């Protein structure tokens, strides 16, 4: 075992970080070819779903949550001119459209209703009962339509030997065999809102010193997405804004990105390995954003070992308390639906590491 120093971390983990990047790049390359093929067929079946484009560089529709777990957003077509809902109304229906004697609970945190009237322009298909109840575009009904389209596309595109549906899940999951290892994909229809910033995302906060005001305005100009990943309520997503934050992390020459890469490597190797980890890269990225905001100065990110351990302590606190605030929507806990026993196990491993920060040689 070696003590945790900058030199040791560079010697023992940098090669693994590079290898991880190469493996994931290859997996993304293969996955996006499959996804492009599938969504091309899906779009030909139903105009409401767009093709996920193929990209030689960064593909904004594919989010790597873990080496074997990707989130793929499939843009929907025919909803333009979004505006926030001005009037709140009670919902009195089941997913089958039957009226209820009591209203359904309003969405909280990262969730919200979506009414077709919130868009200045909409295809007539979004008013159909296969996705719409009383004017609401209902995620569960969208997913039901989308699942059938995915199943048909797998057969039509002759991908049955490479792609398979994963059952017993409310969302649409498929397994893809890549040349290195199998990857599980969650395919999520997404309404892209590129011209507005959600009123639920009250960001930046008062007296916030990171990022700069100029960068804040740039980030907010990228808008947000609404994901069909639950029953009644659409989930707010800020993947584009988060990517801009990540790309500009170390403009001052700091070591923030290296800290994130090393923490992610240790998470995948030691703290939280497995196909469906309770803590994903998105969680670690959020931990980093909060730490950057608390420590906004370059001097806080000059010495790798100090900066890295500060980040790990933040992760330990969040895992121990089962609470990690979303970076843009503060009243939303990203650990709300995670397994508390698994979180405790991760917290224990991170605690052991902090008491004796050591790494094994590769």
């Amino acid at each position: 075992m070696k003590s945790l120093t900058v030199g040791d971390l560079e010697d023992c983990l940098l090669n693994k970080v590079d290898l991880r990047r190469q493996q994931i790049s290859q997996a993304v390359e293969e996955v996006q070819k499959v996804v492009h093929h599938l969504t091309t067929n899906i779009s030909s079946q139903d105009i409401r779903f767009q093709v996920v484009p193929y990209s030689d560089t960064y593909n904004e529709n594919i989010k790597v949550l873990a080496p074997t777990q990707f989130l793929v957003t499939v843009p929907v077509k025919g909803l333009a001119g979004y505006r926030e809902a001005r009037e709140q109304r009670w919902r009195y229906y089941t997913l089958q459209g039957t009226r209820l004697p009591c209203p359904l609970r309003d969405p909280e945190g990262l969730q919200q209703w979506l009414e077709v009237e919130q868009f200045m322009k909409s295809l007539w298909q979004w008013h159909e009962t296969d996705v719409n109840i009383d004017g609401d575009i209902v995620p569960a009904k969208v997913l039901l339509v989308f699942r059938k389209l995915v199943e048909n596309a797998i057969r039509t595109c002759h991908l049955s030997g490479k792609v398979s549906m994963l059952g017993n899940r409310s969302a649409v999951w498929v397994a893809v065999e890549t040349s290195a290892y199998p990857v599980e994909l969650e395919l999520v229809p997404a309404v892209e809102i590129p011209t507005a910033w959600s009123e639920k995302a009250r960001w930046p906060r008062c007296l916030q010193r990171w990022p700069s005001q100029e960068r804040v305005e740039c980030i907010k100009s990228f808008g947000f997405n609404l994901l069909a990943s639950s029953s009644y309520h659409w989930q707010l997503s800020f993947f584009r804004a988060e990517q801009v934050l990540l790309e500009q992390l170390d403009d001052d020459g700091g070591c923030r990105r290296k800290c994130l890469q090393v923490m992610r490597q240790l998470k995948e190797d030691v703290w939280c390995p497995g196909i469906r980890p309770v803590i994903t890269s998105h969680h670690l990225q959020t931990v980093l954003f909060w730490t950057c905001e608390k420590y906004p100065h370059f001097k806080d990110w000059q010495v790798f070992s100090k900066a890295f351990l500060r980040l790990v302590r933040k992760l330990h606190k969040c895992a121990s308390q089962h609470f990690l605030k979303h970076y843009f929507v503060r009243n939303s806990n990203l650990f709300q639906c995670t397994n508390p026993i698994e979180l405790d196990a991760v917290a224990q491993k991170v605690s052991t590491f902090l008491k004796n920060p050591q790494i094994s040689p590769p």
Side-chain angles (χ1 to χ4, degrees), residues 37-53:
H37 197 183
L38 284 175
T39 53
T40 298
N41 181 275
I42 289 169
S43 185
S44 69
Q45 296 179 62
D46 193 324
I47 194 175
R48 290 174 292 191
F49 301 95
Q50 291 186 291
V51 178
V52 174

Side-chain angles (χ1 to χ4, degrees), residues 130-142:
D130 63 342
V131 295
N132 193 307
I133 301 178
D134 288 349
D136 285 323
I137 304 175
V138 183
K141 295 179 78 68
V142 174

Side-chain angles (χ1 to χ4, degrees), residues 236-247:
L236 291 166
S237 166
F238 301 88
F239 288 147
R240 289 177 178 171
E242 290 165 351
Q243 184 60 31
V244 175
L245 272 177
L246 285 174
E247 289 172 352

Side-chain angles (χ1 to χ4, degrees), residues 9 31 84 154 179 196 238 242 250 257 292 344:
L9 278 169
V31 163
E84 295 279 356
I154 291 174
S179 57
F238 301 88
E242 290 165 351
D250 292 323
R257 183 175 294 277
C292 288
D344 288 339

Side-chain angles (χ1 to χ4, degrees), residues 321-341:
Q321 297 178 348
H322 303 174
F323 187 79
L324 173 59
K325 289 185 294 186
H326 190 280
Y327 185 62
F328 294 112
V329 183
R330 295 189 71 178
N331 63 341
S332 180
N333 178 15
L334 294 181
F335 287 156
Q336 184 175 355
C337 298
T338 55
N339 187 316
I341 297 176

Side-chain angles (χ1 to χ4, degrees), residues 127-234:
H127 297 260
E128 291 292 290
T129 56
D130 63 342
V131 295
N132 193 307
I133 301 178
D134 288 349
D136 285 323
I137 304 175
V138 183
K141 295 179 78 68
V142 174
L143 285 172
L144 185 62
V145 172
F146 184 64
R147 177 186 294 276
K148 292 178 181 177
L149 294 169
V150 173
E151 292 172 346
N152 291 337
I154 291 174
R155 290 192 298 269
T156 305
C157 298
H158 306 292
L159 291 172
S160 299
K162 188 178 181 65
V163 183
S164 58
M165 297 291 298
L166 296 176
N168 300 321
R169 303 189 186 191
S170 58
V172 178
W173 284 81
V174 300
V176 177
E177 293 291 335
T178 71
S179 57
Y181 47 78
V183 176
E184 294 187 354
L185 312 180
E186 182 181 4
L187 302 174
V188 185
V191 180
E192 298 181 345
I193 315 291
T195 57
W197 187 254
S198 172
E199 291 183 1
K200 286 196 172 186
R202 296 176 180 175
W203 180 85
R205 284 158 284 282
C206 182
L207 303 179
Q208 180 176 317
R209 295 174 293 172
W210 181 91
S212 67
Q213 186 59 40
E214 294 77 14
R215 189 156 295 174
V216 164
E217 294 305 317
C218 172
I219 289 167
K220 292 176 75 170
S221 71
F222 284 85
F224 65 102
N225 289 350
L226 293 170
L227 307 184
S229 56
S230 65
S231 294
Y232 289 99
H233 307 137
W234 291 75

